[in-house]
Amino acid sequence: MNKFYANLKQKALLNKIIITSLILFSFVIFNFFYSFTLNFKFIFFFILYLFIGYDIILITLKNTLKFNLLDEKSLMFIATIGAFFLKQYFEAVLIFLLYQIGELFQNIAIFRSKSQISSALQIRPLYANLKEGDFLKKVSPLKVKPGDVIVVKPGERVPLDGVVLSGGSFLDSSSITGESNFLSVGPKDFVLSGVVNISGALEIKVTKKYEESTVKKVLNLIENVSSKKSKTENLIKKFAKIYTPTVVIAAFLIFIIPTLLFKEDWHVWLERCLIFLVISCPCALVISIPVSFFLAISKAAKNRILIKGSIFLEMLANVKTAIFDKTGTLTKGKFIIKEIYSLNLSKEEVLEIICLAESKLNHPIAKSIKEAYGKPLNLNRVEKVKEIFGKGVKALVDEKEVFVGNFKLLKEIGISSFEEDELGTNVHLVVEGKYCGRIVLQDEIKTNVEYALKNIKNNGVEKIVMLTGDKKVVGENVAKNLNLDFVFCELLPYEKVEKLESFLKKRGEKEFVAFIGDGVNDAASLKLADVGVAMGAIGSDAAMEACDVVLMDDDINKINIAILIAKRVVKTVKQNIVFSLSFKGLIFVLGIFGLTNIWLAIFSDVGVSILAILNAFRAFKGKF
Ligand code: ADP
Ligand code: MG
């Protein structure tokens, strides 16, 4: 929902509540001095009743027409009609008034957490400097079209995705990717929206409209968080579907049986029936459970963890197997060149050709080699690049067929005489069918991984697994250093998916499997796992779409924070369910003995809802 609109709706609701309360209060005062006629009272309260509750009435009537009759609103509606029959007009208005107060509480909680999420991220660009002739015009990013040229000055946020036309600068992408290294950009470089320009002015040709830009996609993730409802929420909904009609029938029987069969006074039994209706209203659950999940999701967002729906929180709380990708997830994915071996060519040539072949790929190996090479590349020398997933790449470099990749790739193209360094990732080069040499790369384990994995185990995860396409020696070495439970090496991307599937098959009920990857070649696994966690994947559409949780930082320990938040929300929801059911049970028992009245029932219903919401607020106060 639009922020402005949401705000407006809240204000209108608040005003309605204040006005109604003031009028009710004045009535009580005037009632001391005048005795109003019953007719006057009826008209007066009926108008007030329509004023405070017309939306509830309309929704109930609409639902009735659509034959999906009964939700908690209808219970309230029926109760108010009963109150009118008993000539308890004041109470009828009060029922709606207090219901609306509960509603307001819920709106505020949701609105607050939503705006907290977006301000925590602070990536929404407010304007773009659109170039029109020689002039710059400040416009909304929504107004800029692909092909337009914009200028981003130092200190400003890049509002739309595009390509640099002129200028050079450093960009700080930490708000988007969490990595705090500055990226140097110049002409022809691609820039993502949301990053901050640090040093020089940049002229950028826009390539995507705002709706499709990176920053909008991240914001969408946040704004549509609750699209996948948790099992508890769905259960409560289903429960309410059976529960509410049952309550209405029971209430009807409470009224009918004593009055018709035993000729009791219908006033007494209609009142009891109303009390029963109000007590039975599931408001506290229907309101407090979604609010709790919402608060949890916003708490996570504050920690730069985006969770796409409450169902994933529920599963995160019960993850028993965590499966990690190696490169870029457990290791830095920033390879250092340890050694270059060459045959027939010079070492520089080997590096240059490999670099050219890799120049268009997004794989951590490709990126690292490009960075290590450091010199500008003439991209016109490369054509027909084809990534061979889990093996390497094929391309035409200077019109010669070039293969770059690991031993599997060499086997596949029939080259058998080559050497490899045991430890280290070997990237071989074959030009026109001739073996020309290799470079040996080495990756490092991320600094805090050991600590993070220990925490993950303390948080109830039983098995930690690593899957990698890398060589056995390299993978097993990492696994040994990190004390992992299982490691599987030399897997092709589809084999990783199969391994994941086998873990999914083995899991018990209420035991979930999480897959944590960096989004490079592992979208399928992210999608297949119960909870797919993408690390620093902003910018990769496939990963952002496939995953359920995005860690905006490159920090594995954020998984622990996500699990802690998940466990907290599950616990809070359980507390609220137990609390509201037992409280209502108590009032119900009092009701049976005739020890309660409508007022007490109304206040207890709204009171329980508000207490449950406050309990959720309490659970997510403070730091994680
Ligand atoms: P990981 O499971 O470690 O993320 P991948 O499945 O992406 O690894 O790749 C597996 C192996 O395939 C790498 O260790 C490397 O040997 C080889 N490989 C993949 N892509 C490339 C590439 N662009 N250049 C060279 N080798 C590559
Ligand atoms: Mg990978």
Side-chain angles (χ1 to χ4, degrees), residues 319-526:
V319 165
K320 291 282 177 270
T321 310
I323 303 182
F324 291 87
D325 186 39
K326 178 180 77 79
T327 315
T329 309
L330 291 178
T331 65
K332 290 182 177 165
K334 292 207 169 102
F335 294 82
I336 303 161
I337 300 186
K338 264 183 63 193
E339 205 66 66
I340 304 180
Y341 298 97
S342 63
L343 211 74
N344 304 327
L345 296 171
S346 72
K347 286 185 178 181
E348 285 79 62
E349 282 170 317
V350 168
L351 181 59
E352 190 186 12
I353 297 172
I354 290 182
C355 203
L356 281 164
E358 301 268 14
S359 59
K360 289 177 183 160
L361 303 189
N362 216 6
H363 196 277
I365 290 183
K367 281 189 184 164
S368 308
I369 294 177
K370 268 180 280 181
E371 217 172 290
Y373 182 68
K375 284 177 257 174
L377 289 166
N378 179 359
L379 294 184
N380 295 330
R381 291 167 63 189
V382 202
E383 287 172 294
K384 299 202 173 141
V385 178
K386 188 168 176 288
E387 183 163 9
I388 305 161
F389 293 117
K391 291 177 188 166
V393 55
K394 176 188 177 188
L396 278 185
V397 176
D398 300 331
E399 273 144 34
K400 286 183 194 135
E401 189 185 62
V402 167
F403 282 93
V404 170
N406 57 11
F407 68 95
K408 281 192 185 174
L409 184 70
L410 295 193
K411 255 190 212 161
E412 192 178 290
I413 58 176
I415 287 180
S416 52
S417 71
F418 59 89
E419 284 179 25
E420 281 224 344
D421 276 30
E422 269 271 286
L423 268 177
T425 306
N426 291 251
V427 177
H428 301 274
L429 172 66
V430 174
V431 180
E432 298 274 83
K434 271 206 214 77
Y435 186 77
C436 294
R438 65 195 158 99
I439 52 183
V440 182
L441 301 172
Q442 199 158 42
D443 197 4
E444 267 179 273
I445 294 174
K446 286 183 188 170
T447 37
N448 60 347
V449 168
E450 232 184 303
Y451 165 76
L453 293 185
K454 229 182 247 160
N455 281 342
I456 290 178
K457 283 229 154 161
N458 289 339
N459 280 331
V461 175
E462 285 159 9
K463 281 181 242 164
I464 296 189
V465 184
M466 183 177 87
L467 305 180
T468 179
D470 213 339
K471 280 195 314 193
K472 215 173 160 111
V473 206
V474 177
E476 280 179 350
N477 196 30
V478 172
K480 213 176 77 198
N481 280 328
L482 292 176
N483 225 337
L484 304 181
D485 300 305
F486 297 96
V487 56
F488 302 94
C489 307
E490 300 184 7
L491 300 172
L492 292 171
Y494 78 89
E495 291 171 322
K496 287 188 192 172
V497 176
E498 284 175 0
K499 271 278 169 288
L500 172 61
E501 265 175 334
S502 74
F503 276 99
L504 284 169
K505 266 190 206 132
K506 273 186 276 180
R507 78 179 162 204
E509 206 189 321
K510 284 226 154 183
E511 293 183 351
F512 297 106
V513 176
F515 178 86
I516 303 98
D518 63 350
V520 180
N521 306 348
D522 45 23
S525 304
L526 286 174

Side-chain angles (χ1 to χ4, degrees), residues 48 221 265 305 373 414 425 534 612:
L48 201 55
L221 263 187
D265 178 11
I305 303 163
Y373 182 68
T425 306

Side-chain angles (χ1 to χ4, degrees), residues 4 35 37 72 201 215 217 248 359 435 439 469 480 534 605:
F4 174 72
S35 52
T37 62
E72 79 280 1
V215 72
K217 276 186 190 146
V248 174
S359 59
Y435 186 77
I439 52 183
K480 213 176 77 198
D605 181 52

Side-chain angles (χ1 to χ4, degrees), residues 289-309:
I289 291 174
V291 165
S292 308
F293 279 111
F294 225 102
L295 289 173
I297 287 173
S298 87
K299 193 74 193 179
K302 268 203 202 152
N303 284 290
R304 303 174 53 80
I305 303 163
L306 306 183
I307 298 174
K308 284 195 190 167

